[in-house]
mmCIF file of all heavy atoms in Angstrom:
data_model
loop_
_atom_site.group_PDB
_atom_site.id
_atom_site.type_symbol
_atom_site.label_atom_id
_atom_site.label_comp_id
_atom_site.label_asym_id
_atom_site.label_seq_id
_atom_site.Cartn_x
_atom_site.Cartn_y
_atom_site.Cartn_z
ATOM 1 N N GLU A 50 34.782 48.252 -26.904
ATOM 2 C CA GLU A 50 34.612 46.803 -26.873
ATOM 3 C C GLU A 50 33.448 46.416 -27.786
ATOM 4 O O GLU A 50 32.404 47.058 -27.755
ATOM 5 C CB GLU A 50 34.285 46.326 -25.461
ATOM 6 C CG GLU A 50 35.298 46.710 -24.401
ATOM 7 C CD GLU A 50 36.445 45.727 -24.301
ATOM 8 O OE1 GLU A 50 36.251 44.553 -24.703
ATOM 9 O OE2 GLU A 50 37.530 46.106 -23.836
ATOM 10 N N GLN A 51 33.644 45.335 -28.571
ATOM 11 C CA GLN A 51 32.554 44.865 -29.431
ATOM 12 C C GLN A 51 32.381 43.353 -29.301
ATOM 13 O O GLN A 51 33.363 42.631 -29.114
ATOM 14 C CB GLN A 51 32.806 45.270 -30.901
ATOM 15 C CG GLN A 51 34.135 44.843 -31.494
ATOM 16 C CD GLN A 51 34.110 43.569 -32.297
ATOM 17 O OE1 GLN A 51 33.064 42.949 -32.493
ATOM 18 N NE2 GLN A 51 35.293 43.147 -32.778
ATOM 19 N N ASN A 52 31.130 42.917 -29.379
ATOM 20 C CA ASN A 52 30.833 41.480 -29.334
ATOM 21 C C ASN A 52 30.124 41.050 -30.615
ATOM 22 O O ASN A 52 29.263 40.156 -30.593
ATOM 23 C CB ASN A 52 30.032 41.122 -28.091
ATOM 24 C CG ASN A 52 28.713 41.850 -28.024
ATOM 25 O OD1 ASN A 52 28.350 42.590 -28.951
ATOM 26 N ND2 ASN A 52 27.978 41.668 -26.937
ATOM 27 N N LEU A 53 30.481 41.707 -31.710
ATOM 28 C CA LEU A 53 29.895 41.415 -33.009
ATOM 29 C C LEU A 53 30.754 40.434 -33.809
ATOM 30 O O LEU A 53 30.420 40.115 -34.951
ATOM 31 C CB LEU A 53 29.730 42.726 -33.803
ATOM 32 C CG LEU A 53 28.802 43.755 -33.159
ATOM 33 C CD1 LEU A 53 28.974 45.124 -33.812
ATOM 34 C CD2 LEU A 53 27.354 43.277 -33.255
ATOM 35 N N ASN A 54 31.853 40.008 -33.219
ATOM 36 C CA ASN A 54 32.805 39.121 -33.897
ATOM 37 C C ASN A 54 33.374 39.774 -35.158
ATOM 38 O O ASN A 54 33.695 39.096 -36.137
ATOM 39 C CB ASN A 54 32.163 37.773 -34.260
ATOM 40 C CG ASN A 54 33.211 36.702 -34.537
ATOM 41 O OD1 ASN A 54 34.294 36.699 -33.952
ATOM 42 N ND2 ASN A 54 32.899 35.796 -35.449
ATOM 43 N N HIS A 55 33.515 41.091 -35.119
ATOM 44 C CA HIS A 55 34.080 41.819 -36.253
ATOM 45 C C HIS A 55 35.604 41.798 -36.189
ATOM 46 O O HIS A 55 36.200 41.945 -35.117
ATOM 47 C CB HIS A 55 33.591 43.272 -36.246
ATOM 48 C CG HIS A 55 32.188 43.418 -36.706
ATOM 49 N ND1 HIS A 55 31.481 44.598 -36.548
ATOM 50 C CD2 HIS A 55 31.352 42.560 -37.330
ATOM 51 C CE1 HIS A 55 30.276 44.454 -37.070
ATOM 52 N NE2 HIS A 55 30.171 43.218 -37.540
ATOM 53 N N ASP A 56 36.227 41.632 -37.361
ATOM 54 C CA ASP A 56 37.685 41.640 -37.413
ATOM 55 C C ASP A 56 38.252 43.062 -37.401
ATOM 56 O O ASP A 56 39.327 43.292 -36.861
ATOM 57 C CB ASP A 56 38.164 40.932 -38.676
ATOM 58 C CG ASP A 56 37.949 39.426 -38.585
ATOM 59 O OD1 ASP A 56 38.505 38.823 -37.659
ATOM 60 O OD2 ASP A 56 37.224 38.881 -39.432
ATOM 61 N N ALA A 57 37.563 43.994 -38.040
ATOM 62 C CA ALA A 57 38.104 45.340 -38.200
ATOM 63 C C ALA A 57 37.499 46.303 -37.179
ATOM 64 O O ALA A 57 36.311 46.228 -36.863
ATOM 65 C CB ALA A 57 37.830 45.851 -39.615
ATOM 66 N N MET A 58 38.340 47.206 -36.672
ATOM 67 C CA MET A 58 37.886 48.240 -35.745
ATOM 68 C C MET A 58 38.552 49.549 -36.118
ATOM 69 O O MET A 58 39.660 49.565 -36.680
ATOM 70 C CB MET A 58 38.182 47.845 -34.294
ATOM 71 C CG MET A 58 37.446 46.585 -33.863
ATOM 72 S SD MET A 58 37.614 46.179 -32.118
ATOM 73 C CE MET A 58 36.544 47.409 -31.355
ATOM 74 N N TYR A 59 37.865 50.652 -35.793
ATOM 75 C CA TYR A 59 38.296 51.978 -36.232
ATOM 76 C C TYR A 59 38.075 53.000 -35.117
ATOM 77 O O TYR A 59 37.159 52.867 -34.316
ATOM 78 C CB TYR A 59 37.453 52.431 -37.444
ATOM 79 C CG TYR A 59 37.250 51.382 -38.503
ATOM 80 C CD1 TYR A 59 36.249 50.431 -38.387
ATOM 81 C CD2 TYR A 59 38.068 51.353 -39.639
ATOM 82 C CE1 TYR A 59 36.064 49.465 -39.365
ATOM 83 C CE2 TYR A 59 37.879 50.393 -40.622
ATOM 84 C CZ TYR A 59 36.874 49.450 -40.473
ATOM 85 O OH TYR A 59 36.681 48.486 -41.452
ATOM 86 N N TRP A 60 38.914 54.039 -35.116
ATOM 87 C CA TRP A 60 38.696 55.196 -34.257
ATOM 88 C C TRP A 60 38.605 56.447 -35.120
ATOM 89 O O TRP A 60 39.463 56.685 -35.989
ATOM 90 C CB TRP A 60 39.845 55.370 -33.255
ATOM 91 C CG TRP A 60 39.681 54.574 -32.014
ATOM 92 C CD1 TRP A 60 40.346 53.441 -31.662
ATOM 93 C CD2 TRP A 60 38.793 54.858 -30.932
ATOM 94 N NE1 TRP A 60 39.925 52.995 -30.432
ATOM 95 C CE2 TRP A 60 38.975 53.852 -29.956
ATOM 96 C CE3 TRP A 60 37.864 55.875 -30.673
ATOM 97 C CZ2 TRP A 60 38.266 53.823 -28.764
ATOM 98 C CZ3 TRP A 60 37.158 55.845 -29.489
ATOM 99 C CH2 TRP A 60 37.365 54.831 -28.540
ATOM 100 N N TYR A 61 37.544 57.246 -34.838
ATOM 101 C CA TYR A 61 37.339 58.507 -35.530
ATOM 102 C C TYR A 61 37.280 59.644 -34.511
ATOM 103 O O TYR A 61 36.843 59.472 -33.381
ATOM 104 C CB TYR A 61 36.021 58.502 -36.306
ATOM 105 C CG TYR A 61 36.039 57.655 -37.553
ATOM 106 C CD1 TYR A 61 35.695 56.311 -37.494
ATOM 107 C CD2 TYR A 61 36.398 58.194 -38.779
ATOM 108 C CE1 TYR A 61 35.704 55.525 -38.641
ATOM 109 C CE2 TYR A 61 36.409 57.416 -39.931
ATOM 110 C CZ TYR A 61 36.065 56.085 -39.846
ATOM 111 O OH TYR A 61 36.066 55.305 -40.974
ATOM 112 N N ARG A 62 37.671 60.807 -34.983
ATOM 113 C CA ARG A 62 37.529 62.025 -34.192
ATOM 114 C C ARG A 62 36.519 62.923 -34.900
ATOM 115 O O ARG A 62 36.552 63.051 -36.136
ATOM 116 C CB ARG A 62 38.872 62.740 -34.068
ATOM 117 C CG ARG A 62 38.769 64.126 -33.464
ATOM 118 C CD ARG A 62 40.105 64.806 -33.360
ATOM 119 N NE ARG A 62 39.920 66.192 -32.955
ATOM 120 C CZ ARG A 62 40.712 66.817 -32.100
ATOM 121 N NH1 ARG A 62 41.771 66.218 -31.579
ATOM 122 N NH2 ARG A 62 40.471 68.074 -31.785
ATOM 123 N N GLN A 63 35.636 63.542 -34.109
ATOM 124 C CA GLN A 63 34.659 64.472 -34.665
ATOM 125 C C GLN A 63 34.689 65.761 -33.867
ATOM 126 O O GLN A 63 34.475 65.771 -32.665
ATOM 127 C CB GLN A 63 33.255 63.862 -34.625
ATOM 128 C CG GLN A 63 32.202 64.701 -35.329
ATOM 129 C CD GLN A 63 30.841 64.040 -35.309
ATOM 130 O OE1 GLN A 63 30.519 63.264 -34.406
ATOM 131 N NE2 GLN A 63 30.017 64.307 -36.322
ATOM 132 N N ASP A 64 34.962 66.857 -34.544
ATOM 133 C CA ASP A 64 34.919 68.186 -33.931
ATOM 134 C C ASP A 64 33.582 68.841 -34.263
ATOM 135 O O ASP A 64 32.938 68.472 -35.251
ATOM 136 C CB ASP A 64 36.090 69.029 -34.428
ATOM 137 C CG ASP A 64 37.419 68.471 -33.936
ATOM 138 O OD1 ASP A 64 37.670 68.621 -32.730
ATOM 139 O OD2 ASP A 64 38.163 67.871 -34.734
ATOM 140 N N PRO A 65 33.152 69.846 -33.474
ATOM 141 C CA PRO A 65 31.835 70.464 -33.693
ATOM 142 C C PRO A 65 31.657 70.917 -35.130
ATOM 143 O O PRO A 65 32.494 71.633 -35.675
ATOM 144 C CB PRO A 65 31.855 71.643 -32.718
ATOM 145 C CG PRO A 65 32.762 71.208 -31.624
ATOM 146 C CD PRO A 65 33.842 70.401 -32.293
ATOM 147 N N GLY A 66 30.565 70.496 -35.735
ATOM 148 C CA GLY A 66 30.274 70.903 -37.102
ATOM 149 C C GLY A 66 31.152 70.265 -38.148
ATOM 150 O O GLY A 66 31.110 70.657 -39.317
ATOM 151 N N GLN A 67 31.954 69.286 -37.738
ATOM 152 C CA GLN A 67 32.885 68.656 -38.662
ATOM 153 C C GLN A 67 32.469 67.219 -38.969
ATOM 154 O O GLN A 67 31.641 66.630 -38.279
ATOM 155 C CB GLN A 67 34.294 68.639 -38.051
ATOM 156 C CG GLN A 67 34.837 69.996 -37.679
ATOM 157 C CD GLN A 67 35.254 70.783 -38.891
ATOM 158 O OE1 GLN A 67 35.820 70.228 -39.827
ATOM 159 N NE2 GLN A 67 34.968 72.076 -38.889
ATOM 160 N N GLY A 68 33.085 66.691 -39.996
ATOM 161 C CA GLY A 68 32.853 65.301 -40.338
ATOM 162 C C GLY A 68 33.693 64.367 -39.488
ATOM 163 O O GLY A 68 34.220 64.746 -38.440
ATOM 164 N N LEU A 69 33.829 63.138 -39.944
ATOM 165 C CA LEU A 69 34.576 62.108 -39.215
ATOM 166 C C LEU A 69 35.986 62.010 -39.781
ATOM 167 O O LEU A 69 36.160 61.831 -40.984
ATOM 168 C CB LEU A 69 33.861 60.763 -39.373
ATOM 169 C CG LEU A 69 32.379 60.745 -39.021
ATOM 170 C CD1 LEU A 69 31.779 59.388 -39.348
ATOM 171 C CD2 LEU A 69 32.184 61.078 -37.550
ATOM 172 N N ARG A 70 36.955 62.087 -38.904
ATOM 173 C CA ARG A 70 38.349 61.957 -39.336
ATOM 174 C C ARG A 70 38.960 60.702 -38.718
ATOM 175 O O ARG A 70 38.894 60.513 -37.504
ATOM 176 C CB ARG A 70 39.150 63.204 -38.953
ATOM 177 C CG ARG A 70 38.734 64.446 -39.734
ATOM 178 C CD ARG A 70 39.690 65.601 -39.501
ATOM 179 N NE ARG A 70 39.578 66.140 -38.149
ATOM 180 C CZ ARG A 70 40.443 67.010 -37.630
ATOM 181 N NH1 ARG A 70 41.469 67.439 -38.352
ATOM 182 N NH2 ARG A 70 40.269 67.473 -36.405
ATOM 183 N N LEU A 71 39.561 59.878 -39.550
ATOM 184 C CA LEU A 71 40.074 58.584 -39.127
ATOM 185 C C LEU A 71 41.399 58.740 -38.387
ATOM 186 O O LEU A 71 42.347 59.330 -38.908
ATOM 187 C CB LEU A 71 40.250 57.665 -40.338
ATOM 188 C CG LEU A 71 40.715 56.244 -40.073
ATOM 189 C CD1 LEU A 71 39.684 55.483 -39.237
ATOM 190 C CD2 LEU A 71 40.977 55.521 -41.395
ATOM 191 N N ILE A 72 41.474 58.162 -37.177
ATOM 192 C CA ILE A 72 42.691 58.256 -36.364
ATOM 193 C C ILE A 72 43.543 57.000 -36.575
ATOM 194 O O ILE A 72 44.705 57.089 -36.961
ATOM 195 C CB ILE A 72 42.348 58.393 -34.873
ATOM 196 C CG1 ILE A 72 41.440 59.597 -34.627
ATOM 197 C CG2 ILE A 72 43.633 58.551 -34.063
ATOM 198 C CD1 ILE A 72 40.907 59.676 -33.197
ATOM 199 N N TYR A 73 42.992 55.849 -36.284
ATOM 200 C CA TYR A 73 43.664 54.558 -36.438
ATOM 201 C C TYR A 73 42.624 53.509 -36.830
ATOM 202 O O TYR A 73 41.440 53.661 -36.548
ATOM 203 C CB TYR A 73 44.307 54.109 -35.113
ATOM 204 C CG TYR A 73 45.734 54.527 -34.884
ATOM 205 C CD1 TYR A 73 46.036 55.637 -34.096
ATOM 206 C CD2 TYR A 73 46.792 53.797 -35.422
ATOM 207 C CE1 TYR A 73 47.352 56.023 -33.872
ATOM 208 C CE2 TYR A 73 48.110 54.174 -35.192
ATOM 209 C CZ TYR A 73 48.383 55.286 -34.424
ATOM 210 O OH TYR A 73 49.685 55.658 -34.199
ATOM 211 N N TYR A 74 43.107 52.442 -37.458
ATOM 212 C CA TYR A 74 42.233 51.306 -37.688
ATOM 213 C C TYR A 74 43.051 50.021 -37.584
ATOM 214 O O TYR A 74 44.281 50.027 -37.718
ATOM 215 C CB TYR A 74 41.507 51.391 -39.031
ATOM 216 C CG TYR A 74 42.375 51.303 -40.254
ATOM 217 C CD1 TYR A 74 42.536 50.104 -40.945
ATOM 218 C CD2 TYR A 74 43.023 52.437 -40.749
ATOM 219 C CE1 TYR A 74 43.325 50.033 -42.082
ATOM 220 C CE2 TYR A 74 43.815 52.376 -41.883
ATOM 221 C CZ TYR A 74 43.958 51.177 -42.550
ATOM 222 O OH TYR A 74 44.744 51.103 -43.670
ATOM 223 N N SER A 75 42.320 48.933 -37.334
ATOM 224 C CA SER A 75 42.962 47.625 -37.166
ATOM 225 C C SER A 75 42.106 46.587 -37.878
ATOM 226 O O SER A 75 40.882 46.589 -37.753
ATOM 227 C CB SER A 75 43.076 47.288 -35.683
ATOM 228 O OG SER A 75 43.422 45.926 -35.497
ATOM 229 N N GLN A 76 42.766 45.710 -38.617
ATOM 230 C CA GLN A 76 42.040 44.666 -39.336
ATOM 231 C C GLN A 76 42.298 43.281 -38.770
ATOM 232 O O GLN A 76 41.650 42.318 -39.169
ATOM 233 C CB GLN A 76 42.396 44.708 -40.820
ATOM 234 C CG GLN A 76 41.939 46.004 -41.499
ATOM 235 C CD GLN A 76 42.282 46.047 -42.978
ATOM 236 O OE1 GLN A 76 43.406 45.737 -43.370
ATOM 237 N NE2 GLN A 76 41.324 46.426 -43.795
ATOM 238 N N ILE A 77 43.248 43.205 -37.822
ATOM 239 C CA ILE A 77 43.572 41.911 -37.244
ATOM 240 C C ILE A 77 44.244 42.149 -35.904
ATOM 241 O O ILE A 77 44.853 43.218 -35.686
ATOM 242 C CB ILE A 77 44.479 41.103 -38.196
ATOM 243 C CG1 ILE A 77 44.561 39.647 -37.770
ATOM 244 C CG2 ILE A 77 45.842 41.739 -38.306
ATOM 245 C CD1 ILE A 77 45.275 38.769 -38.794
ATOM 246 N N VAL A 78 44.143 41.197 -35.029
ATOM 247 C CA VAL A 78 44.764 41.312 -33.710
ATOM 248 C C VAL A 78 46.268 41.546 -33.859
ATOM 249 O O VAL A 78 46.910 40.974 -34.750
ATOM 250 C CB VAL A 78 44.483 40.037 -32.882
ATOM 251 C CG1 VAL A 78 45.268 40.048 -31.579
ATOM 252 C CG2 VAL A 78 43.000 39.907 -32.592
ATOM 253 N N ASN A 79 46.779 42.411 -32.996
ATOM 254 C CA ASN A 79 48.205 42.754 -32.948
ATOM 255 C C ASN A 79 48.703 43.499 -34.178
ATOM 256 O O ASN A 79 49.919 43.540 -34.439
ATOM 257 C CB ASN A 79 49.064 41.497 -32.728
ATOM 258 C CG ASN A 79 48.867 40.905 -31.336
ATOM 259 O OD1 ASN A 79 48.691 41.640 -30.360
ATOM 260 N ND2 ASN A 79 48.863 39.596 -31.246
ATOM 261 N N ASP A 80 47.783 44.081 -34.933
ATOM 262 C CA ASP A 80 48.178 44.893 -36.083
ATOM 263 C C ASP A 80 47.235 46.080 -36.206
ATOM 264 O O ASP A 80 46.018 45.939 -36.010
ATOM 265 C CB ASP A 80 48.142 44.067 -37.372
ATOM 266 C CG ASP A 80 48.724 44.847 -38.538
ATOM 267 O OD1 ASP A 80 49.859 45.356 -38.411
ATOM 268 O OD2 ASP A 80 48.040 44.960 -39.558
ATOM 269 N N PHE A 81 47.769 47.252 -36.528
ATOM 270 C CA PHE A 81 46.937 48.431 -36.718
ATOM 271 C C PHE A 81 47.667 49.397 -37.638
ATOM 272 O O PHE A 81 48.893 49.321 -37.805
ATOM 273 C CB PHE A 81 46.598 49.116 -35.382
ATOM 274 C CG PHE A 81 47.745 49.242 -34.424
ATOM 275 C CD1 PHE A 81 48.648 50.293 -34.529
ATOM 276 C CD2 PHE A 81 47.926 48.311 -33.405
ATOM 277 C CE1 PHE A 81 49.704 50.421 -33.645
ATOM 278 C CE2 PHE A 81 48.973 48.441 -32.515
ATOM 279 C CZ PHE A 81 49.869 49.482 -32.631
ATOM 280 N N GLN A 82 46.881 50.285 -38.232
ATOM 281 C CA GLN A 82 47.416 51.222 -39.217
ATOM 282 C C GLN A 82 47.021 52.651 -38.847
ATOM 283 O O GLN A 82 45.926 52.889 -38.326
ATOM 284 C CB GLN A 82 46.867 50.916 -40.616
ATOM 285 C CG GLN A 82 47.040 49.475 -41.056
ATOM 286 C CD GLN A 82 48.499 49.102 -41.213
ATOM 287 O OE1 GLN A 82 49.325 49.937 -41.582
ATOM 288 N NE2 GLN A 82 48.824 47.849 -40.915
ATOM 289 N N LYS A 83 47.893 53.599 -39.147
ATOM 290 C CA LYS A 83 47.570 55.008 -38.934
ATOM 291 C C LYS A 83 46.525 55.474 -39.928
ATOM 292 O O LYS A 83 46.536 55.079 -41.099
ATOM 293 C CB LYS A 83 48.829 55.860 -39.078
ATOM 294 C CG LYS A 83 49.849 55.657 -37.983
ATOM 295 C CD LYS A 83 51.045 56.585 -38.174
ATOM 296 C CE LYS A 83 52.054 56.397 -37.055
ATOM 297 N NZ LYS A 83 53.232 57.293 -37.217
ATOM 298 N N GLY A 84 45.639 56.323 -39.432
ATOM 299 C CA GLY A 84 44.687 56.983 -40.306
ATOM 300 C C GLY A 84 45.209 58.350 -40.706
ATOM 301 O O GLY A 84 46.423 58.568 -40.805
ATOM 302 N N ASP A 85 44.297 59.291 -40.887
ATOM 303 C CA ASP A 85 44.678 60.613 -41.381
ATOM 304 C C ASP A 85 45.237 61.545 -40.310
ATOM 305 O O ASP A 85 45.943 62.497 -40.618
ATOM 306 C CB ASP A 85 43.460 61.280 -42.037
ATOM 307 C CG ASP A 85 42.889 60.427 -43.160
ATOM 308 O OD1 ASP A 85 43.690 59.895 -43.957
ATOM 309 O OD2 ASP A 85 41.654 60.270 -43.226
ATOM 310 N N ILE A 86 44.880 61.282 -39.030
ATOM 311 C CA ILE A 86 45.287 62.210 -37.968
ATOM 312 C C ILE A 86 45.824 61.447 -36.764
ATOM 313 O O ILE A 86 45.421 61.663 -35.636
ATOM 314 C CB ILE A 86 44.115 63.136 -37.554
ATOM 315 C CG1 ILE A 86 42.893 62.303 -37.123
ATOM 316 C CG2 ILE A 86 43.737 64.075 -38.683
ATOM 317 C CD1 ILE A 86 41.865 63.136 -36.377
ATOM 318 N N ALA A 87 46.787 60.562 -36.970
ATOM 319 C CA ALA A 87 47.278 59.672 -35.905
ATOM 320 C C ALA A 87 48.201 60.356 -34.900
ATOM 321 O O ALA A 87 48.407 59.842 -33.793
ATOM 322 C CB ALA A 87 47.994 58.483 -36.530
ATOM 323 N N GLU A 88 48.753 61.495 -35.231
ATOM 324 C CA GLU A 88 49.740 62.132 -34.345
ATOM 325 C C GLU A 88 49.126 62.480 -32.996
ATOM 326 O O GLU A 88 48.074 63.110 -32.915
ATOM 327 C CB GLU A 88 50.306 63.397 -34.990
ATOM 328 C CG GLU A 88 51.416 64.033 -34.178
ATOM 329 C CD GLU A 88 52.057 65.210 -34.888
ATOM 330 O OE1 GLU A 88 51.746 65.441 -36.079
ATOM 331 O OE2 GLU A 88 52.876 65.916 -34.256
ATOM 332 N N GLY A 89 49.816 62.058 -31.916
ATOM 333 C CA GLY A 89 49.334 62.345 -30.573
ATOM 334 C C GLY A 89 48.402 61.278 -30.026
ATOM 335 O O GLY A 89 47.876 61.419 -28.924
ATOM 336 N N TYR A 90 48.194 60.222 -30.786
ATOM 337 C CA TYR A 90 47.327 59.118 -30.370
ATOM 338 C C TYR A 90 48.103 57.798 -30.455
ATOM 339 O O TYR A 90 49.036 57.672 -31.234
ATOM 340 C CB TYR A 90 46.095 59.003 -31.268
ATOM 341 C CG TYR A 90 45.203 60.211 -31.288
ATOM 342 C CD1 TYR A 90 45.309 61.162 -32.309
ATOM 343 C CD2 TYR A 90 44.252 60.410 -30.298
ATOM 344 C CE1 TYR A 90 44.485 62.276 -32.340
ATOM 345 C CE2 TYR A 90 43.423 61.519 -30.325
ATOM 346 C CZ TYR A 90 43.540 62.446 -31.350
ATOM 347 O OH TYR A 90 42.732 63.545 -31.375
ATOM 348 N N SER A 91 47.677 56.819 -29.652
ATOM 349 C CA SER A 91 48.214 55.476 -29.782
ATOM 350 C C SER A 91 47.088 54.477 -29.535
ATOM 351 O O SER A 91 46.089 54.792 -28.877
ATOM 352 C CB SER A 91 49.367 55.228 -28.808
ATOM 353 O OG SER A 91 48.904 55.263 -27.474
#
Side-chain angles (χ1 to χ4, degrees):
Chain A
E50 303 274 336
Q51 55 97 2
N52 60 4
L53 298 166
N54 199 32
H55 284 168
D56 288 301
M58 297 186 74
Y59 315 83
W60 274 106
Y61 287 89
R62 170 180 172 140
Q63 187 178 28
D64 293 288
Q67 302 286 320
L69 308 175
R70 292 189 290 169
L71 183 63
I72 304 172
Y73 269 99
Y74 66 98
S75 167
Q76 295 180 313
I77 193 171
V78 172
N79 292 324
D80 187 52
F81 43 83
Q82 308 295 327
K83 292 182 179 180
D85 303 316
I86 56 165
E88 185 175 352
Y90 300 97
S91 66

